């Protein structure tokens, strides 16, 4: 499953043109690829698995050297290695010879070969050499981990000393009471929407959403730490202790879900007022993932078993990132802003012009001159993709812009009107 997740994450670069999204997917793919080759099920084991690849890349060098030496000794003086190298050299020679002949015979085939071949200029050679070293080190380290898999299954934290009932019940009970008071007393603040924000004494939309998100996000993260600590140190030998754990931690989880919903609502109010952006969309995705995480924590609390939780936490994070790629974030942002412009007449064409080619189908619906203002910069930066760099989002954008190019006589673009 981790290997499939790695392939799916890397494949996002072929479907979506948004560079920021591909960077996030590539970072996540590095983590899932590490888990695919080294394993790790416990939190400590997964953490050690993330630290293994750099070490494995260096440990693999003497391992590979010994393997080549053993192969030379077993095949009579290196005949096997020499024959393999000779086969590679003959194959490259045949490809070059016949490729040059076919390229000189047909111009279309020559363009195809030119797209496939790497750049042979000095900067291109340096770039390809760097890629070869990085990817080669990663593949060699992965082969080493597969050939000599580390034993990470037994990596577990030492059992913690249980505390007395009053030592953990009192803090959790007080925290439950505080959360309940916050949710009950601040209902109008949490879900007051425009009436609260636009009131004479109310905050602005920016203050309402930004402070709410960051503060409530910190509350959510700290709550997860509190729940983890309580599960670790609270005794579970007696029925009364197990009941108290389920009641207190279950209540804390439910109240945390309400707070996550409040943070999500605040960000939705902000997006309705000022339009959708990448940051606001990512914030909403993080809040939804936190909500799912609290649901999983609630299930673990009820069952009093959480051995499956660390892997599922990382798995749901990967699924959330893939879900973000499926919804096509730049297109979704552009579509929401275009719909908002039709309803209110407000739009920030300058921000929309900074989106990727994925947004072109939605931006194509804008009226002139806003359409040209939003698409002119995207069209100017749209590259001519070859076989190695083909991308679905850019291909669709290129077709739409070729059918109706942005107008070049638009000198100034209107400023956003709030």
């Amino acid at each position: 499953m981790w290997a499939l997740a790695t392939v799916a994450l890397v494949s996002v670069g072929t479907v979506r043109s948004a560079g920021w999204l591909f960077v996030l997917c590539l970072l996540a793919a590095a983590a899932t690829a590490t888990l695919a080759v080294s394993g790790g099920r416990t939190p400590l084991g997964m953490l050690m698995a993330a630290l293994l690849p750099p070490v494995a890349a260096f440990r693999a060098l003497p391992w590979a050297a010994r393997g080549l030496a053993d192969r030379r000794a077993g095949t009579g003086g290196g005949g096997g290695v020499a024959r393999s190298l000779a086969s590679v050299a003959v194959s490259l020679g045949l490809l070059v010879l016949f490729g040059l002949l076919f390229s000189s015979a047909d111009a279309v085939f020559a363009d195809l070969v030119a797209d496939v071949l790497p750049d042979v200029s000095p900067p291109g050679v340096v770039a390809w050499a760097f890629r070869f070293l990085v990817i080669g080190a990663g593949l060699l380290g992965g082969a080493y981990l597969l050939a000599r898999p580390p034993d990470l299954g037994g990596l577990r934290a030492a059992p913690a000393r249980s505390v007395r009932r009053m030592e953990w019940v009192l803090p959790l009970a007080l925290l439950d009471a505080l959360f309940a008071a916050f949710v009950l007393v601040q209902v109008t603040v949490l879900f007051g929407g425009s009436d609260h924000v636009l009131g004479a004494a109310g905050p602005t939309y920016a203050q309402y959403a930004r402070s709410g998100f960051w503060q409530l996000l910190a509350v959510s993260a700290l709550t997860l730490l509190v729940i983890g600590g309580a599960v670790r140190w609270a005794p579970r030998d007696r029925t009364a202790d197990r009941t108290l754990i389920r009641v207190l931690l279950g209540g804390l989880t439910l109240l945390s879900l309400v707070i996550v919903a409040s943070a999500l609502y605040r960000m939705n109010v902000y997006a309705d007022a000022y339009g959708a952006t990448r940051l606001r969309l990512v914030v909403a995705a993080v809040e939804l993932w936190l909500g799912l995480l609290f649901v999983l924590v609630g299930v673990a609390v009820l069952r009093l078993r959480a051995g499956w939780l660390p892997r599922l936490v990382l798995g749901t994070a990967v699924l959330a990132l893939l879900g973000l790629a499926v919804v096509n974030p730049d297109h979704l942002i552009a579509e929401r802003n275009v719909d908002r412009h039709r309803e209110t007449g407000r739009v920030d064409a300058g921000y929309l012009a900074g989106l990727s080619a994925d947004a072109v189908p939605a931006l194509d619906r804008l009226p002139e001159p806003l359409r040209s203002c939003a698409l002119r910069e995207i069209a100017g930066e749209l590259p001519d993709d070859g076989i190695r760099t083909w991308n679905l989002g850019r291909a669709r954008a290129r077709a739409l812009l070729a059918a109706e190019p942005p107008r070049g006589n638009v000198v100034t673009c209107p400023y956003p009107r709030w």
Side-chain angles (χ1 to χ4, degrees):
M1 294 302 298
W2 292 129
L4 291 175
T6 303
V7 174
L9 288 167
V10 175
S11 301
V12 170
T14 307
V15 182
R16 299 293 177 240
S17 177
W20 65 273
L21 178 63
F22 181 60
V23 169
L24 292 178
C25 291
L26 205 58
L27 293 175
T32 55
T34 300
L35 291 174
V37 298
S38 59
R41 294 175 176 270
T42 63
L44 187 57
M46 295 173 70
L47 179 61
M48 289 300 300
L51 301 176
L52 282 177
V55 179
F58 289 100
R59 292 288 298 273
L61 292 176
W63 169 74
R66 289 194 300 269
L68 291 175
D70 294 340
R71 183 173 178 82
R72 284 197 300 269
T75 55
V81 176
R83 289 180 180 179
S84 299
L85 294 176
S87 176
V88 172
V90 170
S91 302
L92 291 176
L94 290 175
L95 287 176
V96 170
L97 175 61
F98 284 95
L100 290 175
L101 291 173
F102 284 133
S103 298
S104 61
D106 187 86
V108 177
F109 186 80
D111 294 336
L112 180 64
V113 172
D115 290 337
V116 174
L117 292 177
D119 186 11
V120 293
S121 63
V125 171
V126 172
W128 278 102
F130 177 76
R131 294 190 187 102
F132 176 79
L133 289 176
V134 173
I135 297 175
L139 292 177
L140 190 61
Y144 177 76
L145 290 176
L146 289 175
R148 296 186 175 184
D151 184 14
L152 301 177
L155 287 179
R156 300 179 183 274
R161 181 183 66 85
S162 299
V163 297
R164 294 181 301 173
R165 182 180 299 174
M166 183 59 64
E167 293 177 348
W168 66 271
V169 168
L170 180 60
L172 284 182
L174 293 176
L175 195 59
D176 278 342
L178 178 64
F179 272 54
F182 179 80
V183 171
L184 292 175
V185 175
Q186 299 294 327
V187 168
T188 57
V189 177
L190 292 174
F191 304 104
S194 300
D195 294 337
H196 167 71
V197 176
L198 297 180
T204 65
Y205 273 112
Q207 294 171 341
Y208 178 71
R210 289 174 181 170
S211 63
F213 167 71
W214 294 114
Q215 293 171 4
L216 297 181
L217 182 62
V219 168
S220 302
L222 291 174
T223 303
L224 290 174
L225 293 178
V226 169
I227 292 175
V231 171
R232 179 171 172 79
W233 286 297
R236 284 171 283 181
D237 299 331
R238 301 178 181 179
T239 303
D241 290 328
R242 293 193 292 269
T243 302
L244 283 173
I245 289 176
R246 289 189 174 100
V247 172
L248 294 176
L249 294 186
L252 192 61
T253 302
L254 290 176
L255 293 171
S256 299
L257 280 173
V258 177
I259 292 177
V260 169
S262 169
L264 186 62
Y265 184 80
R266 288 169 183 257
M267 190 52 61
N268 186 58
V269 170
Y270 192 24
D272 286 340
Y274 292 106
T277 64
R278 288 171 175 171
L279 179 60
R280 294 162 198 167
L281 182 61
V282 171
V283 162
V286 170
E287 289 166 349
L288 289 173
W289 176 69
L290 279 175
L292 177 60
L293 192 56
F294 274 111
V295 172
L296 296 176
V297 169
V299 174
V301 167
L302 291 177
R303 298 183 60 188
L304 293 179
R305 294 179 181 178
W308 46 269
L309 189 58
R311 285 169 290 158
L312 203 56
V313 167
L314 186 57
T316 53
V318 172
L319 288 178
L321 191 55
L322 289 174
L324 194 63
V326 169
V327 301
N328 197 354
D330 278 12
H331 179 272
L332 183 64
I333 292 167
E335 193 171 51
R336 182 164 180 179
N337 281 280
V338 171
D339 292 339
R340 179 173 171 273
H341 172 262
R342 292 188 173 185
E343 296 175 359
T344 65
R346 301 171 181 174
V347 68
D348 188 350
Y351 178 81
L352 297 179
L355 298 176
S356 68
D358 295 330
V360 170
L363 299 179
D364 191 58
R365 297 163 43 206
L366 284 171
E368 293 291 352
L370 290 174
R371 177 186 178 275
S372 295
C373 290
L375 293 178
R376 187 169 51 188
E377 183 176 344
I378 298 177
E381 297 179 354
L382 201 61
D384 294 328
D385 293 329
I387 294 178
R388 290 184 290 107
T389 58
W390 184 86
N391 179 272
L392 179 62
R394 290 194 294 268
R396 290 176 175 174
R398 198 176 292 109
L400 285 174
L401 294 174
E404 187 178 355
R407 298 177 184 177
N409 57 355
V410 178
V411 180
T412 59
C413 295
Y415 290 100
R417 293 182 293 108
W418 310 117

